[in-house]
Amino acid sequence: MNIVQKISRWGDSHHPRWLDILRIVVGLVIFAKGISFVNDRDAVADLIRQTNFQLSIWSAVHYVVFAHLVGGLFIVFGFQTRLAVIFQIPILFGAVFFVNITNGFNFLNSEFWISLSILILLLVFLVVGSGKYSLDHIMDKPGYKRSI
C-alpha cells in the first residue's frame, strides 16, 4: 500500500460528522463564488491579469468559472471530493498568494481571509475525503451497482 492509499484510508476512518457539514458549506461558498464570477466575467479577467498569467486570459477565466461551479457541486454532494479539491487548490492558491495579498494582511481585507480559510479547508478535505454523508460513501456500499 502506498502513501496515498494510507492517507486515504486514514482520512476515511477518522471523519467526524461535523466535518461533513463543513464540507457542504465550503462547497456552497465555492459554488456561490462561481456564480458571482459568471455574473461578472470582466472582473475575473481583471483579477487574472493582476497575476501576470501568461496563457490566454479567457481560457483561465473559463477554467476558474467551470472549476468553481462543477467542483463546488461535487464538494457539496461528496462526489469525487478529492478530485474536485485538486482542481480547486491552484485557483485558491493563486487567489491567496497573487491576487488578494496585494491588498495586505490587514483585518479589513476580508477576501484574503476568506480565500485563505477556504484554501486551508480544501487541504483538510484533500486528506480526510468526503465522509459518511456523501455520494462516494453511498456508492462504495456492497450491492450498489454502477451503471456507468
Side-chain angles (χ1 to χ4, degrees), residues 95-135:
V96 169
F97 293 108
F98 297 115
V99 176
N100 293 325
I101 206 164
T102 58
N103 295 334
F105 285 110
N106 59 13
F107 288 108
L108 299 176
N109 189 3
S110 64
E111 192 74 24
F112 169 76
W113 295 109
I114 292 171
S115 298
L116 182 64
S117 62
I118 295 293
L119 177 63
I120 291 169
L121 288 171
L122 286 175
L123 292 173
V124 167
F125 290 120
L126 184 63
V127 173
V128 298
S130 56
K132 293 185 181 189
Y133 299 109
S134 65
L135 288 177

Side-chain angles (χ1 to χ4, degrees), residues 44-104:
V44 180
D46 291 337
L47 289 174
I48 293 174
R49 271 191 211 100
Q50 290 176 6
T51 64
N52 297 323
F53 189 68
Q54 297 301 321
L55 294 175
S56 170
I57 297 294
W58 289 110
S59 63
V61 168
H62 285 90
Y63 170 73
V64 168
V65 170
F66 181 78
H68 273 17
L69 291 174
V70 175
L73 286 176
F74 276 26
I75 292 170
V76 166
F77 293 119
F79 180 71
Q80 299 294 324
T81 303
R82 289 185 175 109
L83 180 65
V85 165
I86 287 172
F87 282 107
Q88 297 297 321
I89 286 176
I91 298 168
L92 270 295
F93 185 82
V96 169
F97 293 108
F98 297 115
V99 176
N100 293 325
I101 206 164
T102 58
N103 295 334

